Amino acid sequence: MKELQYLNKYFIKYKYRFLIGIIITIVAQFFTLYTPKLVGDSIKALENSKLNPDTVRQLLMENIILVIVTTLIAGFLTFLMRQTLIVMSRHIEFDLKNEVFRQYENLSQNFYKKNRTGDLMNRISEDVGKVRQYVGPAVMYSINTFIRFAVVTVQMYIISPELTLYSLLPLPILAYSIFKISSEINKRSTTYQQNLSKLSTFTQEMFSGIRVIKAYSIENEKQDDFTALSQESKDKNMRLAKANALFGPLMILLIGASNLVVVYVGGMMYINGSIPDIGVIAQFILYINMLTWPVASLGWVSSMVQEAEASQKRINEFLKIKPEIQNTVPEHTPVNGEITFENVTFTYEDTTITALKNVNLQIKKGQTLAILGKTGSGKSTLLSLISRLYDVNEGAVKIDGSDIRDLNLFDVRNHIGFVPQDAFLFSDTIKNNIKFGNEEATDEEVIDAAKKAVVHKNIVKFKNQYDTVLGERGITLSGGQKQRVSIARALIKNAPILLLDDCLSAVDTETEEAILSNLMDFCKDKTTIIVSHRVSSAKNADQIIILDNGKIIQQGTHNQLVNQDGYYKDLYFKQLSEKELQ
Ligand code: ADP
Ligand code: MG
């Protein structure tokens, strides 16, 4: 139960609902228990029916009406009980899901590298669902059982202590066997769930990679893999169904046994006169039947609680993870745009690749820096350090002279327009994808940003223009269009710092020229870093660095870096620029 204590804060949050639910449950029980007494009284009256049939008939009618009325009231109260307690559990589920989701948003890149999508999805759906079983049904049935048991046994005890003892005998066996079966069901359902999670990770990956799969025509192999996985899943489900099938018959068997005990022992006691009338037997049979379901549900509830405990443990473990990158500065800090790297060294934890080695550079506010280098030289890494997707291992990244770890994290990120290397678009309209950079932007601003990114002409060719809904990950656009929409998104943010990570790689040179000249204009007062592997993108920058294997190997203006003949002095870029200048 230790893990589940985490949820107490939610019970406190919904304490009134909870309390009202408990009170309604108690009242409902009293009404439910009235029926056996009425039935008992009726049968007792039947014993004397030969003497004055009319009064007995009268009594029977009255009792029947009373049974109907009390049952209706009890039914209505049970409905109210579910309305309060189960609805409370849905509220808690909602809160918990939001809490988990907020944590997902806070966790840093390293967390996402270590965990698989299928698992993460399960935590927010499966695990939270299991926990809801505890805060809803499990709590409700426990309260219900406890109250019913207390009230019924007291009633029974008052009538006949001896018969009570005998008729309760089979119940512990019932509770124990239900507990055993439920645990087995849970175990099997967990393995089934795990398999399902594998299956959903597999299919999800298939959907995102469908183009590659078709292009390499490996549909058949993938089909076989899927068949194997779903066969496994089917077997697991069959095992689960077998355990489930045992549940009902077992209950019926044990209820039957209890009834037999009451009839036999009660009959004996009636014969030797230790119970006053035959109505008691009927009353007891009804009582026993009223107890069996709650007692059985105890077994069921306890396995539900076990499962919820396991799920909550997983949730707690993950809620406890402190995001590696945290905002430690609550107050707002201004961001102007001067960026400095001082002896920055950075190593990726998982691959232990040192992607940047002792990097020093300074970009004044409003200036443009171009970073050139081969793939894998550390260009993207350098940009991700500025928006603090990772923290440096040595040295410091500074904005306006202060270490970014001493600035408000959200202020830093809000002042950066970032175009990542792999343009990611959401399955939403083009307009909303652009407005992602600035929720308040007007339609004119969206169009203006799209024009600057030279994608407006493409967009208006679509039937629905800016309202065109993109497929998942923007699949309806070409690579170059995606890049330009992604640029428009960064431009509309109008932030003082603009980071462009190789975002013109899929764009033809002519369009590139157009975008670059728009950018020149737009970025006059903005600090801009433009990463590229084309020398042409770097010509107009105030400063150029060439990265190789995490180190700056050359630094200077375009004029300083080229020979009189216009070629880069560095061998690799000499070849590159020769090719381009041809
Ligand atoms: P570039 O952008 O210049 O192509 P990167 O900055 O992406 O280079 O990569 C620099 C080095 O860091 C590469 O060797 C790459 O393998 C490694 N690297 C890049 N991203 C990651 C990552 N997310 N996790 C681990 N290693 C990475
Ligand atoms: Mg890169």
Side-chain angles (χ1 to χ4, degrees), residues 11-12 22 24 28 67 89 91-92 109 134-135 170 227 230 252 266 282 296 338 390 396 445 458 460 478 485:
F11 284 122
I12 292 171
I22 293 176
I24 295 175
V67 167
S89 76
H91 280 296
I92 296 181
Q109 306 267 320
Y134 159 72
V135 293
T227 311
S230 48
I252 293 170
E338 188 192 71
Y390 300 96
E445 287 170 314
N458 300 77
V460 290
S478 77
V485 170

Side-chain angles (χ1 to χ4, degrees), residues 109-110 113 346-356 371-384 390 421 501-502 531 547 549-550:
Q109 306 267 320
N110 277 331
K113 280 190 212 156
F346 176 74
T347 305
Y348 281 105
E349 215 177 87
D350 50 340
T351 53
T352 66
I353 290 174
T354 303
L356 289 178
I371 305 178
L372 300 175
K374 303 177 219 181
T375 40
S377 55
K379 305 182 298 290
S380 299
T381 307
L382 195 147
L383 294 191
S384 55
Y390 300 96
Q421 186 165 14
D501 191 357
D502 215 353
V531 165
L547 273 181
N549 200 13

Side-chain angles (χ1 to χ4, degrees), residues 24 57 66 98 132 134 158 168 245 256 264 268 288 323 374 399 521 528 549 554 577 581:
I24 295 175
R57 210 172 285 135
L66 271 178
N98 278 318
R132 188 201 74 86
Y134 159 72
I158 293 171
L168 292 184
Y264 179 74
M268 287 304 180
I288 288 301
K374 303 177 219 181
I399 293 183
D521 202 32
T528 312
N549 200 13
Q554 288 198 48
S577 48
L581 288 173

Side-chain angles (χ1 to χ4, degrees), residues 46-156:
L46 282 177
E47 270 190 309
N48 314 320
S49 61
K50 300 240 166 48
L51 295 175
N52 37 12
D54 286 339
T55 34
V56 172
R57 210 172 285 135
Q58 173 81 20
L59 185 85
L60 277 186
M61 275 322 284
E62 279 173 22
N63 279 357
I64 285 174
I65 291 167
L66 271 178
V67 167
I68 294 175
V69 171
T70 51
T71 310
L72 281 180
I73 297 177
F76 180 66
L77 288 173
T78 311
F79 165 75
L80 282 188
M81 167 184 93
R82 296 189 64 89
Q83 273 297 304
T84 42
L85 291 178
I86 301 294
V87 168
M88 173 186 83
S89 76
R90 291 291 179 192
H91 280 296
I92 296 181
E93 182 185 25
F94 172 81
D95 291 347
L96 191 59
K97 269 191 183 160
N98 278 318
E99 190 176 340
V100 171
F101 190 73
R102 206 167 311 127
Q103 174 76 348
Y104 277 146
E105 288 188 311
N106 282 336
L107 288 169
S108 39
Q109 306 267 320
N110 277 331
F111 173 82
Y112 284 94
K113 280 190 212 156
K114 286 182 212 138
N115 292 280
R116 305 190 53 159
T117 319
D119 280 346
L120 300 181
M121 309 256 275
N122 264 355
R123 205 149 311 164
I124 205 163
S125 55
E126 287 302 323
D127 283 339
V128 173
K130 295 244 170 75
V131 170
R132 188 201 74 86
Q133 293 277 316
Y134 159 72
V135 293
V139 165
M140 186 179 77
Y141 286 122
S142 307
I143 298 170
N144 210 7
T145 303
F146 181 76
I147 294 167
R148 181 172 286 194
F149 208 80
V151 180
V152 171
T153 44
V154 168
Q155 282 268 359
M156 287 166 76

Side-chain angles (χ1 to χ4, degrees), residues 319-333:
L319 285 179
K320 255 190 291 182
I321 303 175
K322 284 260 177 310
E324 283 156 49
I325 311 242
Q326 286 196 54
N327 182 27
T328 46
V329 185
E331 66 272 15
H332 280 292
T333 44

